[in-house]
Amino acid sequence: MQVEVDESKCIAAGQCVLSAPEVFDQRDEDGIVVLLAERPGAELHDVVREAAGLCPAAAIRLAELVEG
Amino acid sequence: MSRILVVGASAAGLAAVETLRREGYDGTVTLVGDESHAFYDRPPLSKQILASQWEPGKLALRPPADLDALGLDLRLGTAATRLDLAGRTVHLADGTELPYDGLIVATGVRPRRLPGEGAHVLRTLGDALVLRDRLRRGSRLAVVGAGFLGSEAAAVARGLGAEVVLVEPAPVPLAHAVGAEVGRVLTQAHLDHGVDLRTGVAVVEAGAGGVRLADGELIDADEVLVAVGSVPNTDWLQGSGLTVADGLVCDEFSAAAPGVYGAGDVARWHNPLFGVEMRIEHRTNAAEQGMAAARNLLRPEARKPFAPVPYFWSDQYDMKIQAYGYLRGHDEVTVVDGDLTAGRFVAAYRTGDHLAGALAVGMPPKVLMSWRRMVAARAAWSDAVPSTASVVA
Protein backbone atom coordinates (compact mmCIF):
# COMPACT_ATOMS: atom_id res chain seq x y z
CA MET A 1 0.00 0.00 0.00
CA GLN A 2 1.25 3.45 -0.99
CA VAL A 3 -0.12 6.45 0.95
CA GLU A 4 -0.24 9.94 -0.54
CA VAL A 5 -1.49 13.10 1.13
CA ASP A 6 -2.58 16.37 -0.47
CA GLU A 7 -1.58 19.16 1.91
CA SER A 8 -3.52 21.70 -0.13
CA LYS A 9 -6.75 19.88 0.70
CA CYS A 10 -5.99 19.09 4.36
CA ILE A 11 -8.20 21.02 6.79
CA ALA A 12 -6.36 19.90 9.95
CA ALA A 13 -9.21 17.91 11.43
CA GLY A 14 -6.81 15.27 12.72
CA GLN A 15 -9.18 12.36 12.03
CA CYS A 16 -6.31 10.49 10.39
CA VAL A 17 -4.18 10.81 13.53
CA LEU A 18 -7.02 9.44 15.63
CA SER A 19 -7.37 6.42 13.34
CA ALA A 20 -3.75 5.66 12.52
CA PRO A 21 -1.24 7.52 14.73
CA GLU A 22 1.55 5.24 13.46
CA VAL A 23 1.11 6.62 9.95
CA PHE A 24 -0.17 10.18 10.33
CA ASP A 25 0.73 13.16 12.49
CA GLN A 26 -0.14 16.86 12.42
CA ARG A 27 2.17 19.86 12.28
CA ASP A 28 2.11 21.60 15.63
CA GLU A 29 1.51 25.10 14.32
CA ASP A 30 -1.35 24.63 11.85
CA GLY A 31 -2.39 21.00 12.18
CA ILE A 32 -1.63 20.09 8.55
CA VAL A 33 -1.13 16.37 8.01
CA VAL A 34 2.37 14.88 8.22
CA LEU A 35 2.87 11.49 6.61
CA LEU A 36 5.04 9.27 8.81
CA ALA A 37 5.00 6.16 6.66
CA GLU A 38 4.47 6.15 2.89
CA ARG A 39 4.34 2.36 2.77
CA PRO A 40 2.87 1.17 6.07
CA GLY A 41 3.08 -2.47 6.99
CA ALA A 42 0.21 -4.83 6.25
CA GLU A 43 -0.87 -4.82 9.90
CA LEU A 44 -1.70 -1.12 9.52
CA HIS A 45 -3.65 -1.32 6.28
CA ASP A 46 -7.07 -1.52 7.92
CA VAL A 47 -6.57 1.55 10.09
CA VAL A 48 -5.06 3.49 7.18
CA ARG A 49 -8.10 2.69 5.04
CA GLU A 50 -10.27 3.84 7.92
CA ALA A 51 -8.27 7.08 8.12
CA ALA A 52 -8.62 7.71 4.40
CA GLY A 53 -12.35 7.07 4.59
CA LEU A 54 -12.82 9.40 7.54
CA CYS A 55 -10.72 12.29 6.22
CA PRO A 56 -13.29 15.08 5.83
CA ALA A 57 -11.29 16.68 3.02
CA ALA A 58 -10.51 13.57 0.97
CA ALA A 59 -6.85 14.53 1.32
CA ILE A 60 -5.56 10.94 1.69
CA ARG A 61 -5.14 8.75 -1.36
CA LEU A 62 -4.28 5.06 -1.15
CA ALA A 63 -2.79 3.06 -3.97
CA GLU A 64 -2.77 -0.67 -3.48
CA LEU A 65 0.58 -2.06 -4.57
CA VAL A 66 1.11 -5.55 -5.87
CA GLU A 67 3.49 -6.88 -3.24
CA GLY A 68 6.41 -9.08 -4.07
CA MET B 1 -27.61 -10.57 1.34
CA SER B 2 -26.99 -10.16 -2.38
CA ARG B 3 -28.41 -6.73 -3.23
CA ILE B 4 -27.61 -3.61 -1.21
CA LEU B 5 -29.06 -0.27 -2.24
CA VAL B 6 -27.57 3.05 -1.12
CA VAL B 7 -29.70 6.12 -1.87
CA GLY B 8 -27.65 9.32 -1.86
CA ALA B 9 -24.37 9.84 -3.74
CA SER B 10 -22.48 12.24 -1.50
CA ALA B 11 -20.06 11.78 1.40
CA ALA B 12 -22.24 9.45 3.49
CA GLY B 13 -23.17 7.29 0.52
CA LEU B 14 -19.54 7.05 -0.55
CA ALA B 15 -18.41 6.03 2.93
CA ALA B 16 -21.13 3.39 2.97
CA VAL B 17 -20.28 1.80 -0.38
CA GLU B 18 -16.52 1.86 0.32
CA THR B 19 -17.08 0.21 3.68
CA LEU B 20 -19.30 -2.50 2.18
CA ARG B 21 -16.49 -3.47 -0.19
CA ARG B 22 -13.75 -3.11 2.42
CA GLU B 23 -15.68 -5.44 4.72
CA GLY B 24 -15.70 -8.05 2.01
CA TYR B 25 -19.23 -7.73 0.65
CA ASP B 26 -19.11 -8.84 -2.98
CA GLY B 27 -22.79 -8.70 -3.93
CA THR B 28 -24.50 -6.02 -5.98
CA VAL B 29 -24.17 -2.47 -4.67
CA THR B 30 -26.58 -0.07 -6.36
CA LEU B 31 -26.07 3.62 -5.71
CA VAL B 32 -28.75 6.18 -6.54
CA GLY B 33 -28.11 9.94 -6.71
CA ASP B 34 -30.32 12.76 -7.91
CA GLU B 35 -27.43 14.95 -9.09
CA SER B 36 -25.62 13.99 -12.28
CA HIS B 37 -22.25 14.36 -10.53
CA ALA B 38 -21.41 11.88 -7.80
CA PHE B 39 -19.17 12.06 -4.77
CA TYR B 40 -17.96 15.63 -4.65
CA ASP B 41 -17.11 17.47 -1.50
CA ARG B 42 -19.38 20.23 -0.24
CA PRO B 43 -17.45 22.12 2.46
CA PRO B 44 -15.20 23.85 -0.12
CA LEU B 45 -18.27 25.19 -1.97
CA SER B 46 -18.63 28.10 0.47
CA LYS B 47 -14.86 28.51 0.76
CA GLN B 48 -12.36 27.72 -2.02
CA ILE B 49 -14.93 27.34 -4.84
CA LEU B 50 -16.77 30.57 -4.04
CA ALA B 51 -13.40 32.34 -3.77
CA SER B 52 -12.31 30.89 -7.15
CA GLN B 53 -9.22 29.43 -5.47
CA TRP B 54 -10.14 25.94 -6.64
CA GLU B 55 -11.69 24.64 -9.80
CA PRO B 56 -14.53 22.12 -9.51
CA GLY B 57 -12.34 19.15 -10.45
CA LYS B 58 -10.58 19.38 -7.12
CA LEU B 59 -13.85 18.55 -5.32
CA ALA B 60 -13.90 14.93 -6.48
CA LEU B 61 -13.92 12.76 -3.37
CA ARG B 62 -12.12 9.92 -5.16
CA PRO B 63 -10.23 9.54 -8.43
CA PRO B 64 -12.23 7.75 -11.15
CA ALA B 65 -10.07 4.63 -10.91
CA ASP B 66 -10.85 4.26 -7.19
CA LEU B 67 -14.56 4.52 -7.92
CA ASP B 68 -14.34 2.02 -10.77
CA ALA B 69 -12.69 -0.42 -8.40
CA LEU B 70 -15.81 -0.41 -6.22
CA GLY B 71 -17.83 -2.06 -8.98
CA LEU B 72 -20.99 -0.05 -8.35
CA ASP B 73 -24.28 -0.17 -10.18
CA LEU B 74 -24.55 3.62 -10.48
CA ARG B 75 -27.90 5.31 -11.06
CA LEU B 76 -27.17 9.04 -11.20
CA GLY B 77 -29.33 11.97 -12.22
CA THR B 78 -32.51 10.35 -10.93
CA ALA B 79 -34.15 10.66 -7.54
CA ALA B 80 -35.76 8.00 -5.39
CA THR B 81 -39.48 8.76 -5.19
CA ARG B 82 -40.95 6.00 -3.04
CA LEU B 83 -39.99 3.20 -0.68
CA ASP B 84 -42.02 0.01 -0.45
CA LEU B 85 -40.75 -1.27 2.87
CA ALA B 86 -42.71 -4.53 2.93
CA GLY B 87 -41.83 -5.29 -0.68
CA ARG B 88 -38.18 -4.18 -0.18
CA THR B 89 -38.25 -2.05 -3.29
CA VAL B 90 -37.28 1.56 -4.05
CA HIS B 91 -39.00 3.39 -6.90
CA LEU B 92 -37.08 6.00 -8.90
CA ALA B 93 -38.27 9.09 -10.76
CA ASP B 94 -37.37 7.49 -14.09
CA GLY B 95 -39.74 4.60 -13.43
CA THR B 96 -37.12 2.08 -12.37
CA GLU B 97 -37.97 -0.24 -9.48
CA LEU B 98 -34.98 -1.45 -7.51
CA PRO B 99 -35.38 -4.43 -5.17
CA TYR B 100 -32.96 -4.71 -2.26
CA ASP B 101 -31.97 -6.95 0.62
CA GLY B 102 -30.36 -4.09 2.55
CA LEU B 103 -30.95 -0.34 2.25
CA ILE B 104 -28.95 2.69 3.37
CA VAL B 105 -30.71 6.04 3.24
CA ALA B 106 -28.25 8.91 2.73
CA THR B 107 -30.36 11.47 0.88
CA GLY B 108 -29.03 14.50 2.74
CA VAL B 109 -30.76 17.84 3.07
CA ARG B 110 -31.82 20.70 0.84
CA PRO B 111 -31.67 24.42 1.64
CA ARG B 112 -34.61 25.99 3.42
CA ARG B 113 -35.97 28.81 1.28
CA LEU B 114 -37.83 32.03 1.94
CA PRO B 115 -40.70 33.61 0.02
CA GLY B 116 -39.50 35.42 -3.10
CA GLU B 117 -37.91 34.54 -6.45
CA GLY B 118 -34.34 34.75 -7.64
CA ALA B 119 -32.34 34.43 -4.42
CA HIS B 120 -29.34 32.11 -4.35
CA VAL B 121 -28.93 29.09 -2.11
CA LEU B 122 -25.65 27.26 -1.58
CA ARG B 123 -25.80 23.48 -1.43
CA THR B 124 -24.68 22.07 -4.77
CA LEU B 125 -21.73 22.71 -7.04
CA GLY B 126 -24.13 24.34 -9.48
CA ASP B 127 -25.33 26.75 -6.78
CA ALA B 128 -21.76 27.73 -5.92
CA LEU B 129 -20.70 28.30 -9.53
CA VAL B 130 -23.68 30.54 -10.24
CA LEU B 131 -23.05 32.65 -7.15
CA ARG B 132 -19.31 32.98 -7.74
CA ASP B 133 -19.91 34.24 -11.27
CA ARG B 134 -22.05 37.02 -9.81
CA LEU B 135 -19.70 38.12 -7.01
CA ARG B 136 -17.53 41.02 -8.08
CA ARG B 137 -15.62 43.84 -6.48
CA GLY B 138 -18.07 46.61 -5.73
CA SER B 139 -21.18 44.47 -6.17
CA ARG B 140 -23.52 44.26 -3.21
CA LEU B 141 -24.41 40.90 -1.67
CA ALA B 142 -27.10 40.41 0.95
CA VAL B 143 -26.78 37.24 2.99
CA VAL B 144 -29.76 36.08 5.00
CA GLY B 145 -28.66 33.91 7.90
CA ALA B 146 -25.39 34.30 9.82
CA GLY B 147 -24.87 30.62 10.59
CA PHE B 148 -21.69 28.87 9.50
CA LEU B 149 -22.61 28.72 5.82
CA GLY B 150 -23.78 32.34 5.59
CA SER B 151 -20.78 33.53 7.58
CA GLU B 152 -18.32 31.69 5.36
CA ALA B 153 -19.93 33.11 2.22
CA ALA B 154 -19.92 36.63 3.70
CA ALA B 155 -16.23 36.31 4.52
CA VAL B 156 -15.37 35.12 1.01
CA ALA B 157 -17.43 37.90 -0.59
CA ARG B 158 -15.64 40.53 1.49
CA GLY B 159 -12.33 39.02 0.43
CA LEU B 160 -13.39 39.45 -3.18
CA GLY B 161 -14.15 43.12 -2.57
CA ALA B 162 -17.93 42.86 -2.59
CA GLU B 163 -20.06 44.90 -0.21
CA VAL B 164 -21.88 42.58 2.18
CA VAL B 165 -24.95 43.09 4.32
CA LEU B 166 -25.56 40.14 6.63
CA VAL B 167 -29.07 39.80 8.04
CA GLU B 168 -29.76 37.49 10.98
CA PRO B 169 -33.06 36.99 12.79
CA ALA B 170 -31.46 36.03 16.11
CA PRO B 171 -30.06 38.72 18.41
CA VAL B 172 -26.69 36.94 18.50
CA PRO B 173 -25.73 34.81 15.49
CA LEU B 174 -24.86 31.18 16.26
CA ALA B 175 -25.84 31.58 19.91
CA HIS B 176 -28.00 28.44 19.73
CA ALA B 177 -25.04 26.47 18.39
CA VAL B 178 -22.01 27.79 20.26
CA GLY B 179 -23.35 30.10 22.99
CA ALA B 180 -23.83 33.84 23.07
CA GLU B 181 -20.30 34.85 24.09
CA VAL B 182 -18.57 32.79 21.42
CA GLY B 183 -21.24 33.90 18.95
CA ARG B 184 -20.34 37.52 19.70
CA VAL B 185 -16.65 36.83 19.03
CA LEU B 186 -17.46 35.31 15.65
CA THR B 187 -19.77 38.16 14.69
CA GLN B 188 -17.24 40.79 15.73
CA ALA B 189 -15.06 39.45 12.93
CA HIS B 190 -17.75 40.46 10.42
CA LEU B 191 -17.81 43.99 11.82
CA ASP B 192 -14.00 44.17 11.78
CA HIS B 193 -14.07 43.23 8.10
CA GLY B 194 -16.62 45.85 7.13
CA VAL B 195 -19.75 43.72 6.91
CA ASP B 196 -23.02 45.60 7.48
CA LEU B 197 -24.44 43.23 10.12
CA ARG B 198 -28.14 43.49 11.01
CA THR B 199 -29.16 41.23 13.88
CA GLY B 200 -32.51 40.59 15.50
CA VAL B 201 -34.43 41.35 12.31
CA ALA B 202 -36.88 39.01 10.65
CA VAL B 203 -36.87 38.61 6.88
CA VAL B 204 -40.21 38.12 5.15
CA GLU B 205 -39.02 37.95 1.55
CA ALA B 206 -35.72 37.40 -0.24
CA GLY B 207 -35.50 37.65 -4.00
CA ALA B 208 -33.63 39.10 -6.92
CA GLY B 209 -32.81 42.68 -6.03
CA GLY B 210 -33.02 42.56 -2.28
CA VAL B 211 -34.41 41.49 1.05
CA ARG B 212 -37.65 42.66 2.64
CA LEU B 213 -37.59 42.89 6.45
CA ALA B 214 -40.58 42.36 8.72
CA ASP B 215 -40.76 46.08 9.49
CA GLY B 216 -41.14 46.83 5.78
CA GLU B 217 -37.60 48.00 5.11
CA LEU B 218 -36.13 46.88 1.78
CA ILE B 219 -32.41 46.13 1.68
CA ASP B 220 -31.25 46.51 -1.91
CA ALA B 221 -28.65 44.09 -3.20
CA ASP B 222 -27.30 42.90 -6.53
CA GLU B 223 -27.39 39.31 -5.29
CA VAL B 224 -29.10 37.65 -2.35
CA LEU B 225 -27.97 34.45 -0.67
CA VAL B 226 -30.42 32.65 1.61
CA ALA B 227 -28.60 30.51 4.20
CA VAL B 228 -31.23 29.82 6.82
CA GLY B 229 -30.78 26.13 7.42
CA SER B 230 -31.83 22.93 5.75
CA VAL B 231 -34.69 20.50 5.32
CA PRO B 232 -33.99 16.73 5.37
CA ASN B 233 -34.77 14.97 2.10
CA THR B 234 -37.34 12.54 3.47
CA ASP B 235 -40.31 13.32 1.21
CA TRP B 236 -39.79 10.08 -0.68
CA LEU B 237 -40.12 8.12 2.58
CA GLN B 238 -43.57 9.49 3.41
CA GLY B 239 -46.07 6.68 3.70
CA SER B 240 -43.35 4.03 3.77
CA GLY B 241 -43.88 3.17 7.42
CA LEU B 242 -40.50 4.55 8.48
CA THR B 243 -40.61 7.25 11.15
CA VAL B 244 -39.79 10.71 9.83
CA ALA B 245 -39.47 13.63 12.26
CA ASP B 246 -37.01 16.29 11.09
CA GLY B 247 -34.98 13.51 9.53
CA LEU B 248 -35.20 9.74 9.25
CA VAL B 249 -35.50 8.52 12.82
CA CYS B 250 -32.97 5.78 13.64
CA ASP B 251 -31.99 3.88 16.77
CA GLU B 252 -28.59 3.80 18.45
CA PHE B 253 -27.33 1.45 15.71
CA SER B 254 -28.40 3.97 13.07
CA ALA B 255 -31.14 1.53 12.00
CA ALA B 256 -34.55 2.81 10.87
CA ALA B 257 -36.08 -0.67 10.38
CA PRO B 258 -34.74 -4.21 10.01
CA GLY B 259 -32.24 -4.05 7.13
CA VAL B 260 -32.70 -0.29 6.70
CA TYR B 261 -30.14 2.23 7.96
CA GLY B 262 -29.78 6.00 7.84
CA ALA B 263 -26.53 7.95 7.43
CA GLY B 264 -25.38 11.54 7.12
CA ASP B 265 -27.36 14.79 7.21
CA VAL B 266 -30.72 13.07 6.76
CA ALA B 267 -30.42 10.71 9.74
CA ARG B 268 -31.68 11.48 13.23
CA TRP B 269 -30.36 8.86 15.60
CA HIS B 270 -29.90 8.21 19.29
CA ASN B 271 -26.26 8.87 20.21
CA PRO B 272 -25.70 6.85 23.38
CA LEU B 273 -22.51 8.78 24.23
CA PHE B 274 -24.61 11.88 24.94
CA GLY B 275 -27.89 10.09 25.64
CA VAL B 276 -29.82 12.24 23.17
CA GLU B 277 -31.26 12.08 19.68
CA MET B 278 -29.30 14.18 17.23
CA ARG B 279 -29.07 14.97 13.54
CA ILE B 280 -25.67 16.29 12.49
CA GLU B 281 -25.09 18.20 9.26
CA HIS B 282 -21.32 18.09 9.38
CA ARG B 283 -18.95 16.53 6.92
CA THR B 284 -17.14 14.23 9.31
CA ASN B 285 -20.37 12.74 10.61
CA ALA B 286 -21.39 11.82 7.08
CA ALA B 287 -18.30 9.64 6.69
CA GLU B 288 -18.48 8.13 10.17
CA GLN B 289 -22.17 7.32 9.96
CA GLY B 290 -21.89 5.93 6.43
CA MET B 291 -19.22 3.52 7.69
CA ALA B 292 -21.19 2.58 10.79
CA ALA B 293 -24.40 1.98 8.85
CA ALA B 294 -22.63 -0.25 6.34
CA ARG B 295 -20.96 -2.34 9.04
CA ASN B 296 -24.14 -2.80 11.04
CA LEU B 297 -26.09 -3.72 7.93
CA LEU B 298 -23.56 -6.41 7.01
CA ARG B 299 -23.15 -7.80 10.53
CA PRO B 300 -26.53 -7.73 12.26
CA GLU B 301 -25.27 -10.24 14.84
CA ALA B 302 -22.40 -7.96 15.86
CA ARG B 303 -23.95 -4.51 15.56
CA LYS B 304 -22.26 -1.65 17.38
CA PRO B 305 -23.97 1.51 18.64
CA PHE B 306 -23.03 4.59 16.64
CA ALA B 307 -21.63 6.80 19.40
CA PRO B 308 -19.29 9.37 17.82
CA VAL B 309 -17.92 12.62 19.20
CA PRO B 310 -19.19 15.03 16.52
CA TYR B 311 -16.62 17.34 14.91
CA PHE B 312 -16.95 20.45 12.80
CA TRP B 313 -14.75 23.19 11.45
CA SER B 314 -15.39 26.52 9.77
CA ASP B 315 -13.06 28.95 8.04
CA GLN B 316 -14.04 32.61 8.28
CA TYR B 317 -11.69 35.44 7.33
CA ASP B 318 -8.36 34.42 8.89
CA MET B 319 -10.00 32.35 11.62
CA LYS B 320 -10.16 28.61 11.81
CA ILE B 321 -12.91 27.41 14.11
CA GLN B 322 -12.91 23.79 15.24
CA ALA B 323 -15.15 21.99 17.70
CA TYR B 324 -15.60 18.52 19.14
CA GLY B 325 -18.67 17.32 20.96
CA TYR B 326 -22.33 18.20 21.10
CA LEU B 327 -22.63 21.85 22.01
CA ARG B 328 -26.36 22.38 21.54
CA GLY B 329 -28.42 22.77 24.65
CA HIS B 330 -25.35 23.37 26.81
CA ASP B 331 -25.75 24.84 30.29
CA GLU B 332 -22.43 26.66 30.64
CA VAL B 333 -19.43 27.85 28.59
CA THR B 334 -16.00 28.42 30.11
CA VAL B 335 -12.84 29.74 28.49
CA VAL B 336 -10.13 27.25 29.41
CA ASP B 337 -7.26 28.62 27.32
CA GLY B 338 -6.49 31.94 25.63
CA ASP B 339 -8.76 34.95 25.61
CA LEU B 340 -12.10 35.70 23.92
CA THR B 341 -11.17 39.31 23.26
CA ALA B 342 -7.93 38.30 21.57
CA GLY B 343 -9.78 35.92 19.25
CA ARG B 344 -7.56 33.02 20.33
CA PHE B 345 -9.18 30.68 22.79
CA VAL B 346 -10.52 27.27 23.72
CA ALA B 347 -14.00 27.20 25.23
CA ALA B 348 -15.37 24.17 27.09
CA TYR B 349 -19.09 23.37 27.18
CA ARG B 350 -20.94 21.83 30.11
CA THR B 351 -24.23 19.95 29.81
CA GLY B 352 -25.50 18.70 33.14
CA ASP B 353 -22.52 17.36 35.07
CA HIS B 354 -20.51 16.43 31.98
CA LEU B 355 -18.08 17.99 29.57
CA ALA B 356 -20.18 18.09 26.39
CA GLY B 357 -17.67 19.62 24.00
CA ALA B 358 -14.94 22.11 23.27
CA LEU B 359 -14.46 24.77 20.60
CA ALA B 360 -11.24 26.48 19.56
CA VAL B 361 -10.65 29.64 17.55
CA GLY B 362 -7.21 30.64 16.35
CA MET B 363 -5.45 27.85 18.26
CA PRO B 364 -3.23 25.07 16.89
CA PRO B 365 -5.65 22.23 16.02
CA LYS B 366 -3.76 19.71 18.15
CA VAL B 367 -4.78 21.63 21.26
CA LEU B 368 -8.32 20.28 20.94
CA MET B 369 -7.33 16.62 20.88
CA SER B 370 -7.06 16.25 24.65
CA TRP B 371 -10.51 17.81 24.97
CA ARG B 372 -11.89 15.39 22.43
CA ARG B 373 -10.56 12.49 24.48
CA MET B 374 -12.28 13.79 27.57
CA VAL B 375 -15.59 14.23 25.74
CA ALA B 376 -15.30 10.67 24.39
CA ALA B 377 -14.69 9.44 27.93
CA ARG B 378 -17.77 11.29 29.24
CA ALA B 379 -15.56 13.24 31.65
CA ALA B 380 -17.20 14.87 34.62
CA TRP B 381 -17.19 18.65 34.29
CA SER B 382 -15.51 19.07 37.66
CA ASP B 383 -12.63 16.84 36.52
CA ALA B 384 -12.26 18.39 33.06
CA VAL B 385 -12.39 22.07 33.94
CA PRO B 386 -10.45 23.63 36.80
CA SER B 387 -12.67 25.78 38.98
CA THR B 388 -10.42 28.79 38.38
CA ALA B 389 -11.37 29.01 34.69
CA SER B 390 -13.52 31.99 33.79
CA VAL B 391 -17.22 31.38 33.29
CA VAL B 392 -18.52 33.45 30.43
CA ALA B 393 -22.08 32.27 29.90
Side-chain angles (χ1 to χ4, degrees), chain B residues 3 47 66 109 161 185 208 230 236 338:
Chain B
R3 286 174 300 194
K47 306 177 182 79
D66 291 16
V109 297
V185 171
S230 311
W236 67 287

Side-chain angles (χ1 to χ4, degrees), chain B residues 104-274:
Chain B
I104 295 176
V105 174
T107 39
V109 297
R110 62 185 181 276
R112 180 172 289 125
R113 291 173 188 265
L114 294 170
E117 297 288 331
H120 299 270
V121 292
L122 188 41
R123 174 70 185 174
T124 66
L125 175 58
D127 296 337
L129 294 178
V130 169
L131 181 58
R132 94 170 181 184
D133 280 348
R134 301 291 183 87
L135 284 182
R136 289 187 175 82
R137 177 168 297 278
S139 70
R140 184 169 155 87
L141 172 71
V143 180
V144 183
F148 289 111
L149 184 72
S151 292
E152 290 180 356
V156 167
R158 284 301 294 149
L160 295 172
E163 282 182 53
V164 176
V165 53
L166 180 55
V167 185
E168 165 61 44
V172 179
L174 287 166
H176 65 288
V178 298
E181 290 293 333
V182 174
R184 272 193 278 274
V185 171
L186 301 183
T187 55
Q188 183 63 40
H190 294 304
L191 301 175
D192 292 345
H193 285 83
V195 169
D196 178 5
L197 178 65
R198 315 275 191 97
T199 56
V201 291
V203 171
V204 294
E205 196 176 347
V211 174
R212 174 83 61 189
L213 305 182
D215 65 6
E217 185 188 353
L218 180 68
I219 296 175
D220 291 321
D222 300 309
E223 307 295 333
V224 175
L225 170 64
V226 173
V228 292
S230 311
V231 181
N233 289 322
T234 51
D235 297 357
W236 67 287
L237 301 174
Q238 295 293 344
S240 67
L242 296 181
T243 305
V244 170
D246 183 31
L248 172 62
V249 176
C250 301
D251 64 14
E252 69 198 281
F253 301 102
S254 216
V260 180
Y261 287 79
D265 296 5
V266 75
R268 170 174 296 284
W269 90 106
H270 181 85
N271 184 333
L273 182 60
F274 298 88

Side-chain angles (χ1 to χ4, degrees), chain A residues 27-51:
Chain A
R27 291 201 302 241
D28 287 332
E29 64 275 21
D30 58 8
I32 298 297
V33 62
V34 175
L35 185 58
L36 302 176
E38 285 181 28
R39 294 192 180 191
E43 74 284 2
L44 293 171
H45 287 185
D46 281 350
V47 291
V48 171
R49 290 189 189 104
E50 176 104 0

Side-chain angles (χ1 to χ4, degrees), chain B residues 178 182 327 333-337 340 345-349 357-361 368 371 392:
Chain B
V178 298
V182 174
L327 312 184
V333 184
T334 295
V335 174
V336 290
D337 195 358
L340 282 180
F345 63 89
V346 178
Y349 292 74
L359 176 146
V361 175
L368 265 185
W371 290 95
V392 296

